[in-house]
Amino acid sequence: MEFEGEFELEDVPPEQAWIVLSDPVAVRDSLKGCRYIVPMDEEFNFDEYEPEENLETLPDADPEVVADRAFEEGKRYAALMQIGVGSVKPRFETTVTIDERDDENFEMIASGGGNASSSSFSMTSGMRIREHETGNGSRIEWWTEADISGRIAQLGSRVIKPVADKIVNDFFSSIEQQMTDVDERADAGVTDRLRNLL
């Protein structure tokens, strides 16, 4: 299955959008059904891991802390997702690798997959942030190619696509609110500090 779309953020410059979308905690908090996104090693155990709660994001978080935990090219991350699709609500243990990350052009590509007791998926996904044509805000282009099998796949794209669209729209609406909070509450130096740290 293929999914793609664009999302516009008014009054949010690309560099600010990139900083928030580079933070696994901000992404987790905006992605419905996601319990955590954390760096993983060979010893990682989904059943035993207990995520840290109440982690601060911008504008409240220390910029150096946000920079230290930002997604890194070549690094693997564990994500625990639970998303309802029709009558099915599987708990996906997901592994994601950041294949490419371009801080100059605000582009990122990731790949990975996950499985639950009766379903599995593999995917490649990408994101590109551009300045809006009006020069006021950002345009985010995103795409995902996913191979889904098992019980969820049996539901078909007519059931899956509306759920995926709602997750994406809710995600970007939440991200936009986080970015608005950063824009309104952070002092002017926070974005510049993070740009230098990333």
Side-chain angles (χ1 to χ4, degrees):
M1 283 184 190
E2 296 184 5
F3 306 92
E4 63 180 3
E6 292 186 2
F7 198 86
E8 295 180 357
L9 300 172
E10 292 183 15
D11 303 320
V12 178
E15 58 270 17
Q16 191 170 308
W18 179 250
I19 287 166
V20 175
L21 287 166
S22 294
D23 181 3
V25 177
V27 172
R28 176 203 70 184
D29 290 351
S30 296
L31 194 56
K32 188 176 179 183
C34 182
R35 285 202 60 214
Y36 56 77
I37 305 173
V38 294
M40 68 183 299
D41 56 24
E42 298 301 326
E43 310 291 313
F44 188 87
N45 186 309
F46 282 94
D47 292 325
E48 295 177 1
Y49 182 76
E50 287 294 327
E52 291 183 64
E53 302 292 340
N54 304 315
L55 292 172
E56 290 184 334
T57 55
L58 294 173
D60 301 311
D62 183 326
E64 292 191 13
V65 171
V66 174
D68 283 345
R69 70 186 182 209
F71 289 118
E72 293 180 30
E73 185 173 313
K75 201 165 199 175
R76 289 178 44 196
Y77 295 82
L80 186 64
M81 303 280 302
Q82 188 157 19
I83 301 168
V85 183
S87 60
V88 182
K89 195 172 184 180
R91 175 182 179 268
F92 278 101
E93 297 178 353
T94 306
T95 301
V96 178
T97 301
I98 306 301
D99 298 312
E100 297 177 31
R101 179 182 163 84
D102 185 340
D103 288 308
E104 294 300 315
N105 295 304
F106 310 126
E107 297 179 3
M108 190 157 32
I109 296 175
S111 61
N115 54 62
S117 57
S118 57
S119 301
S120 65
F121 76 95
S122 61
M123 63 87 188
T124 301
S125 188
M127 170 186 74
R128 177 186 301 116
I129 306 173
R130 295 284 180 257
E131 187 173 51
H132 196 275
E133 288 86 348
T134 62
N136 188 27
S138 302
R139 189 178 82 251
I140 300 172
E141 302 166 0
W142 64 272
W143 56 270
T144 297
E145 293 179 4
D147 183 16
I148 304 168
S149 61
R151 193 169 171 197
I152 288 181
Q154 293 170 4
L155 297 172
S157 61
R158 282 188 296 179
V159 174
I160 296 170
K161 190 159 186 341
V163 172
D165 288 344
K166 180 170 183 359
I167 290 168
V168 169
N169 286 330
D170 289 349
F171 171 77
F172 279 116
S173 295
S174 177
I175 284 288
E176 183 173 27
Q177 184 58 57
Q178 286 194 53
M179 293 177 186
T180 301
D181 290 345
V182 171
D183 193 45
E184 289 177 351
R185 293 174 49 204
D187 63 79
V190 167
T191 299
D192 291 338
R193 279 181 67 197
L194 272 163
R195 284 287 293 151
N196 292 330
L197 289 165
L198 288 173

